């Protein structure tokens, strides 16, 4: 794939919540899994990545507590399927720090 342009919160704001657009498994068809991510900044701005159109948006994550912001992440990746259909990114956890 190709990188999209960076999205950033306005100066002085932190990322506080996110959601993913994920395509459900399609059986024999080409699966894509996570296709886009959107995030909310502490001031209310919404950032949205330029991912693929497949899938549906999930729910927003619980927001970081007041005064905190995202300081780390963990990703869930599908291991190579060899002869099968690879999806790549399947899920994301973001961690809050103050």
């Amino acid at each position: 794939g190709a990188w999209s342009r960076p999205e950033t919160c306005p100066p002085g704001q932190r990322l506080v919540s996110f959601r993913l657009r994920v395509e459900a498994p399609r059986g024999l068809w080409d699966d894509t899994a996570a296709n886009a991510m959107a995030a909310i900044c502490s001031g209310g701005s919404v950032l949205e990545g330029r991912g693929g159109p497949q899938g549906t948006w999930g729910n927003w994550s619980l927001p970081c507590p007041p005064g905190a912001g995202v300081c780390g992440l963990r990703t869930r990746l599908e291991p190579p399927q060899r002869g099968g259909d690879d999806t790549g990114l399947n899920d994301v956890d973001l961690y809050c720090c103050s």
Side-chain angles (χ1 to χ4, degrees):
W3 287 103
S4 63
R5 67 178 175 83
E7 301 283 343
T8 58
C9 290
Q13 295 185 24
R14 300 175 180 192
L15 197 83
V16 295
S17 183
F18 80 102
R19 67 182 182 164
L20 292 175
R21 183 168 50 211
V22 178
E23 181 182 43
R26 300 182 59 201
L28 296 176
W29 300 96
D30 187 28
D31 292 324
T32 61
N35 289 300
M37 182 174 168
I40 298 176
C41 301
S42 54
S45 299
V46 176
L47 310 176
E48 188 173 309
R50 310 271 187 260
Q54 299 91 342
T56 56
W57 287 105
N59 295 326
W60 288 101
S61 67
L62 293 174
C64 293
V70 172
C71 61
L73 64 96
R74 177 175 71 159
T75 59
R76 182 183 310 169
L77 306 174
E78 180 182 57
Q81 300 297 297
R82 304 202 183 251
D85 183 21
D86 293 323
T87 59
L89 181 65
N90 285 264
D91 205 355
V92 175
D93 284 335
L94 296 180
Y95 296 93
C96 301
C97 299
S98 51

